[in-house]
Amino acid sequence: MKRVLGIESSCDETAAAIVDETGQVLASVVASQIDTHGKYGGVVPELASREHLRSITPVVRGAMEEARLNWNELDAIAVTAGPGLVGSLLVGLTYAKALCLVRGLPLIGINHIEGHIYAVLLEARLAGAEIELPALALVASGGHTHLFEVSPRMTYRLLGKTRDDAAGEAYDKVAKLLGFGYPGGPVLDQLALHGDADAVHMPMVKMKGNTLDFSFSGLKTAMLRWTQSKDLEGELIARRALLKLHPHPTVEQWLTVTPQLTLDAIAAFQEVVVEELLRRAARAAEETGARAIIISGGVACNAGLRKSARSGRLPCPVFFPTPQLSTDNAAMIAAAAFPRLERGEFSDLTLKAQANLTLA
Ligand code: KG4
Ligand code: ZN
């Protein structure tokens, strides 16, 4: 039985996981830095590297203990080589290289975006569901929003990507603007349920050039204009005060300091993001003759997106990861390494962290 230890540190999660060749996740440990970055309203790269340094040893040790494995029961170490914050990537990569040297294991460098796609393939396999290829993959997170065609040989063709903000980044910036803290996606998603999207108008994008590209900066500006046109001072003060009292307020607590009109604007914002993502995914799937749609990355946790994607509007079956495997984790990195392990395709110990690594 082959087993791979995966290590992920590309952004603000330090993660380690062990996956076996049947796709079983024997251990998965994720140390989130949300509390560190929360007070700044976004990820601070210098702090992220420092936190990764602090967490990497206990996280890897924790995964090995959880799986009850010895080092000689592993076959390779997979690590995210990019894309991501270079200082953060370096912590995981250097640690993985050192482990490979000391334990005599091969190193497999993984593209983080491919990891997000494997999160879905891994779980589908465990559930006995077959994802037919070619597939269309939408990866939407805090750092990327990409559409890929996934061929039957597991090669990738980039069909569209964001020209400005990533979808999750738009959530985080709008949440910051409205005083909801970081990360913004989960809070706005839950609050959107309480708003009426038709009560506030938010614009859809008219894309010139590649119409499968995304853009969220216009929507972000529309939200900024909306806040400027309203007197939100009182509610902003109340939300800041709530965040000081409770670092992680519940939806009920947020609702006490969020008037209906603001909830309506949040619902309208979410509706536009979901529409922008799913319209392009549907069109790309039709144009490429995809047999399945894979949606992954932190934004794949979004309840509005899941509901709309499952309403029968997409031309083929749609697959999402569970929420734990939607956001950054190392099980997806280990899973993505298996095809390479089988082919004996290993990385050199000179492997570099690549902040702008592309998948296609
Ligand atoms: O995949 P991920 O953990 O990290 C990156 O690779 O970027 O994604 C984190 C992003 C954040 O921007 C967060 O606000 C967003 O995913 N996110 C959500 C939801 N949960 C997390 N966005 C919308 N709705 C959600 N429920
Ligand atoms: Zn990610």
Side-chain angles (χ1 to χ4, degrees), residues 221-295:
T221 309
M223 285 298 283
L224 173 66
R225 295 248 164 79
W226 181 85
T227 54
Q228 287 166 342
S229 72
K230 303 278 176 280
D231 181 15
L232 302 186
E233 200 52 38
E235 56 180 286
L236 284 174
I237 291 172
R239 286 198 284 271
R240 280 191 206 115
L242 176 62
L243 259 184
K244 277 219 173 99
L245 272 176
H246 305 276
H248 306 289
T250 61
V251 189
E252 287 68 33
Q253 287 172 322
W254 281 127
L255 284 169
T256 62
V257 288
T258 311
Q260 190 59 45
L261 191 58
T262 302
L263 294 172
D264 294 343
I266 293 169
F269 164 79
Q270 167 138 316
E271 188 171 86
V272 172
V273 176
V274 169
E275 279 302 309
E276 297 286 358
L277 293 175
L278 293 184
R279 275 190 199 179
R280 285 177 183 71
R283 193 150 47 80
E286 260 161 22
E287 284 174 14
T288 57
R291 312 288 295 261
I293 296 179
I294 290 168
I295 304 186

Side-chain angles (χ1 to χ4, degrees), residues 112 116 141 144 328 332:
H112 180 83
H116 276 300
S141 72
H144 15 78
D328 288 347
M332 67 185 197

Side-chain angles (χ1 to χ4, degrees), residues 162-183:
T162 183
R163 292 191 192 162
D164 38 61
D165 292 342
E169 192 179 358
Y171 269 96
D172 295 336
K173 288 181 176 169
V174 166
K176 188 174 179 184
L177 179 73
L178 294 173
F180 287 106
Y182 174 85

Side-chain angles (χ1 to χ4, degrees), residues 108-122:
I108 303 180
I110 296 294
N111 182 310
H112 180 83
I113 301 176
E114 185 170 30
H116 276 300
I117 295 173
Y118 268 87
V120 185
L121 300 178
L122 172 74

Side-chain angles (χ1 to χ4, degrees), residues 1 12 15 33 77 79 84 98 112 123 148 160 165 210 221 233 243 248 259 276 292 304 342 349:
M1 176 70 74
D12 60 344
Q33 304 177 2
I77 297 180
V79 64
H112 180 83
E123 289 189 321
F148 295 102
D165 292 342
N210 180 5
T221 309
E233 200 52 38
L243 259 184
H248 306 289
E276 297 286 358
E342 276 157 30
L349 287 182

Side-chain angles (χ1 to χ4, degrees), residues 8 10-11 13 83 112-113 116 139-144 297-298 326-329 332:
E8 154 66 38
S10 66
C11 188
E13 261 97 26
H112 180 83
I113 301 176
H116 276 300
V139 182
S141 72
H144 15 78
S326 295
T327 49
D328 288 347
N329 65 86
M332 67 185 197

Side-chain angles (χ1 to χ4, degrees), residues 64-269:
M64 291 300 284
E65 280 168 9
E66 196 178 307
R68 298 169 187 273
L69 288 175
N70 293 317
W71 291 97
N72 59 11
E73 292 171 289
L74 292 178
D75 297 90
I77 297 180
V79 64
T80 305
L85 300 169
V86 75
S88 293
L89 288 165
L90 272 172
V91 176
L93 190 59
T94 313
Y95 200 83
K97 285 181 187 174
L99 280 177
C100 286
L101 266 177
V102 173
R103 306 290 176 183
L105 288 165
L107 178 73
I108 303 180
I110 296 294
N111 182 310
H112 180 83
I113 301 176
E114 185 170 30
H116 276 300
I117 295 173
Y118 268 87
V120 185
L121 300 178
L122 172 74
E123 289 189 321
R125 186 172 165 205
L126 280 178
E130 201 196 334
I131 299 185
E132 282 190 64
L133 301 175
L136 187 281
L138 166 66
V139 182
S141 72
H144 15 78
T145 304
H146 293 270
L147 275 176
F148 295 102
E149 181 186 24
V150 185
S151 81
R153 288 171 32 248
M154 287 308 295
T155 58
Y156 305 94
R157 183 161 69 97
L158 181 66
L159 302 171
K161 64 173 188 211
T162 183
R163 292 191 192 162
D164 38 61
D165 292 342
E169 192 179 358
Y171 269 96
D172 295 336
K173 288 181 176 169
V174 166
K176 188 174 179 184
L177 179 73
L178 294 173
F180 287 106
Y182 174 85
V187 189
L188 298 188
D189 184 15
Q190 285 174 302
L191 291 176
L193 274 178
H194 298 268
D196 173 8
D198 295 331
V200 176
H201 175 73
M202 286 293 154
M204 294 284 295
V205 180
K206 286 195 192 69
M207 208 40 112
K208 294 201 180 101
N210 180 5
T211 53
L212 288 177
D213 275 349
F214 301 88
S215 168
F216 294 102
S217 67
L219 177 60
K220 195 181 62 189
T221 309
M223 285 298 283
L224 173 66
R225 295 248 164 79
W226 181 85
T227 54
Q228 287 166 342
S229 72
K230 303 278 176 280
D231 181 15
L232 302 186
E233 200 52 38
E235 56 180 286
L236 284 174
I237 291 172
R239 286 198 284 271
R240 280 191 206 115
L242 176 62
L243 259 184
K244 277 219 173 99
L245 272 176
H246 305 276
H248 306 289
T250 61
V251 189
E252 287 68 33
Q253 287 172 322
W254 281 127
L255 284 169
T256 62
V257 288
T258 311
Q260 190 59 45
L261 191 58
T262 302
L263 294 172
D264 294 343
I266 293 169
F269 164 79

